[in-house]
Amino acid sequence: MDLKNSVLKKVLPKHIAIIMDGNGRWAKQKGMLRAFGHENGTKSVKQTVEACAELGVENLTLYAFSTENWNRPKLEVQTLMKLLVSSLKKEIKTLQENNIKLSAIGSLNTLPKKVYKELFEVIESTAQNTRMTLTLALSYGSREEILNTVKEISIKVKNNIISAENIDESIINEHLYTQNLPDVDLLIRTSGEQRISNFLLWQIAYAELYFTSVLWPDFTKQHLYEAIIEYQKRERRFGKTSEQLS
Ligand code: IPE
Ligand code: IPE
Ligand code: MG
């Protein structure tokens, strides 16, 4: 059976977020250095981006580097940053051809200059694209994001721009890095770990969670279709009863 066609028969998630995990273990299993895993992980990124665009998924958010990942060995951080620059350079063409808009969330000003510059070149040159928004979470931490939001709103309250009584969920949404994105419908994590690791805590409040033991460099379009099919089987009740929904 063609998995892609099955996926297209039902309602698609509007926003898929992925914790791309398992590069290091994948490399270790092969007796290689962790960097080899990261390099091969970029192939899965390409596959996933293409698959989502082809299906018609409107938003894809990929966790590429967390605030906690800065604590990894210096050499590994350097490798990841270099890989980011080379991937951006290489994939700008794919993004243009597929009409994909690139965006980024995180404390982007902490990224090395080279990464920042390349990132914003691609963001600017794809800004008019409309088929799908691909958001990279880079130096991203959800608690930091929420903390910044609280600070920004507090300053606005202090300066009488917002009144405290009027703070609601939409005001919080507008101050998060993800301000232009809808809530996450489907969160996928590869590598068998079943945790969130400081990713989109506010935005996944009602997301369907999907964990797979597949290591990220082995993740293909078919695995993505399987995850979406599983999502499509679930009943999203949002607190209501099953009877209310039918
Ligand atoms: C995910 O793979 C990539 C990043 C976190 C940057 P890991 O590097 O975490 O791989 P494992 O979890 O050690 O196998
Ligand atoms: C989460 O993976 C971050 C990314 C995928 C970028 P980690 O491998 O860093 O998470 P932990 O340490 O296992 O929670
Ligand atoms: Mg990991």
Side-chain angles (χ1 to χ4, degrees), residues 72-134:
R72 290 194 178 190
K74 211 175 155 193
L75 194 65
E76 179 164 349
V77 172
Q78 278 174 359
T79 302
L80 284 165
M81 293 301 148
K82 270 190 204 153
L83 207 55
L84 201 61
V85 175
S86 60
S87 303
L88 285 165
K89 279 201 163 94
K90 201 169 138 206
E91 298 307 336
I92 183 160
K93 211 171 144 229
T94 316
L95 298 179
Q96 294 295 21
E97 281 168 4
N98 288 287
N99 192 15
I100 298 166
K101 174 176 161 171
L102 187 79
S103 173
I105 55 173
S107 57
L108 305 176
N109 51 9
T110 63
L111 293 168
K113 271 206 186 82
K114 254 193 167 172
V115 178
Y116 188 90
K117 190 174 157 267
E118 194 59 44
L119 181 66
F120 276 87
E121 268 177 40
V122 182
I123 288 176
E124 277 158 29
S125 66
T126 60
Q128 306 305 323
N129 293 349
T130 52
R131 189 180 184 190
M132 180 174 93
T133 299
L134 166 64

Side-chain angles (χ1 to χ4, degrees), residues 19-21 63-66 69 72 189 193 195 197:
I19 303 175
M20 311 183 288
D21 197 16
Y63 204 5
F65 194 86
S66 71
N69 289 148
R72 290 194 178 190
R189 181 168 190 151
E193 306 300 353
R195 55 176 168 264
S197 301

Side-chain angles (χ1 to χ4, degrees), residues 15-19 184-189 195-196 199-200 204 207-211:
H15 186 179
I16 299 178
I18 307 182
I19 303 175
V184 175
D185 296 308
L186 169 62
L187 174 72
I188 299 171
R189 181 168 190 151
R195 55 176 168 264
I196 303 300
F199 192 41
L200 303 174
I204 61 166
E208 295 298 326
L209 309 182
Y210 180 86
F211 299 104

